[in-house]
Amino acid sequence: MGQRPIVAIGLPFLLFGWLISVGAAPRQDGLGSSDHAWLDAYRDPAARLIGEALASTFAWERLSTLTDTIGNRLSGSPALDRAIEWAVAEMKRDGLENVHTERVMVPKWVRGTESADIVEPFHHSMVMLGLGDSVGTPAAGIQAEVLTVHTFEELDANASRARGRVVFFNAPFTNYGETVRFRAAGPSRAARYGAVAVLVRSIGPDGLRTPHTGALTYTNDAPKIPAAAVSAEDADRLQRMTDRGARVVVRLKMEAHLDPDVESANVVGEIRGRERPDEVVLVSGHLDSWDVGAGATDDGGGCVVTWEALRLMKKLNLRPRRTVRVVLWTNEENGGRGGLAYRDQHRAELPKHVLMLESDGGVFRPLGFGFSGSERARQTVKAVASLLGGIGADQVNVGGGGADIGPSVAEAHIPSASLDVDGSKYFLIHHTPADTVDKIDPLEMAKCAAAVAVLAYVTADLPGRLGE
Ligand SMILES: [Zn+2]
């Protein structure tokens, strides 16, 4: 209710829109002020980066190639290995420098086949997805009566009724931060009271019978019980049956299991700095995804638009003073091992990181950046962002960061940024089979690439280090 489903907009329409707006997009009038005379030197390169990004659908085509030919890319899957090989080869083809992989050991969770059926009072097969990192059920499945709750407090109040039951968390989606706790913490909280399995209403706005997966986090003080998300429509059906006073019984079958860690890698490419190559501006997205959909918005798009920053510089022969480095992280979704490995492998070099940016909120219409750092650095980033007024990406909001850059940022107090975009569509397709490239507009994506490119280039080229 109140949520508009995303309609896959036809490519011809998108291209038409792009042709109309490209003429007007790179306008540079009304930007900045005389307070920032240094900024004038960057108006021309910024306009060229924006113009080059918007002159083609290269980024969208690259993302569609990744998602159509390789598809989703869960840690430990052959698909992620192929994506890593593909990214290395493509970065070399772009002419990026120092292209290589950095080894990371990652967990390998395997979903297997799975199902969730209502067996009483009427048979009904639900649309479900096991939660990432969940254990499986015995081969015959788990069959038990459902206990429906809407909050943790309600679970606690009904603790004596949870034993032997499938606890169903039916919390309406308000926002991700508020409701994701039922997915993450719900299974262990129910297991503490003797529950045998958990179902959660999918963490996302109501879609079109679409289940949302995502990781759970088991605690050590309770047995590990299997857990799955069901679509909003199936959640509503369970609720209606409960409300009618029926005894509701479900059968959950899941083959999910965790295999030993396997080798994976972060992918790295650079434009080496012309004066201070040891100082680094890092831009990034995560190449792994959940094992459903195509990992287009989460986070193939973030990988491609940050990588584009370097490709555009190379194409335009723009070499900044400092090094610009793109990192495509492994294992963001169920472990964060890529970000941790980078912190450990680059520990000595972290103080030389001028700025770290992660794009993991989708590549929809860009608004600007989130930024965390000193006030002085923020004023500089704001001035740089003013160069993006023509494409509507000139906001600098409080709080920038990302799951993968987080460990390095925390360790070395590095200024950090996120790409901020129109977030209205993100959680509708987040971790679902509907995370596919058709939800992404080539022009909006090109603008995202332009925004990252301008911020990365100018920050890497500033006469003095950002914030100094
Ligand atoms: Zn993500």
Side-chain angles (χ1 to χ4, degrees), residues 4 9 14 21 54 297 305 359 361-369 388-395 397 418-426 439-452:
R4 284 170 303 151
I9 305 159
L14 293 173
S21 40
L54 270 55
T297 283
V305 299
S359 168
V363 288
F364 303 109
R365 181 173 55 85
L367 305 175
F369 307 97
L388 297 163
I391 57 169
D394 54 350
Q395 291 180 17
N397 302 310
S418 54
L419 177 66
D420 281 5
V421 304
D422 168 14
S424 59
K425 298 180 205 167
Y426 184 79
K439 312 300 187 304
I440 297 169
D441 175 329
L443 176 60
E444 289 182 348
M445 188 173 176
K447 289 179 178 175
C448 287
V452 176

Side-chain angles (χ1 to χ4, degrees), residues 384-404:
V384 177
S386 75
L387 299 170
L388 297 163
I391 57 169
D394 54 350
Q395 291 180 17
V396 177
N397 302 310
V398 174
D404 302 290

Side-chain angles (χ1 to χ4, degrees), residues 136-189:
T137 65
I142 287 174
Q143 185 165 319
E145 188 177 346
V146 172
L147 171 67
T148 301
V149 298
H150 307 86
T151 61
F152 287 139
E153 292 70 28
E154 195 181 351
L155 172 67
D156 293 342
N158 289 278
S160 62
R161 297 174 59 211
R163 182 159 303 279
R165 300 276 193 96
V166 172
V167 168
F168 167 44
F169 290 100
N170 190 23
F173 180 78
T174 49
N175 61 64
Y176 191 70
E178 219 168 70
T179 49
V180 72
R181 63 180 189 268
F182 296 105
R183 184 191 86 203
S188 283
R189 291 187 73 136

Side-chain angles (χ1 to χ4, degrees), residues 300-322:
C303 290
V304 172
V305 299
T306 52
W307 172 358
E308 275 289 271
L310 284 78
R311 187 188 70 86
L312 293 166
M313 284 178 219
K314 188 80 195 175
K315 181 119 195 262
L316 296 172
N317 205 16
L318 288 168
R319 183 179 296 278
R321 283 188 172 85
R322 299 172 188 78

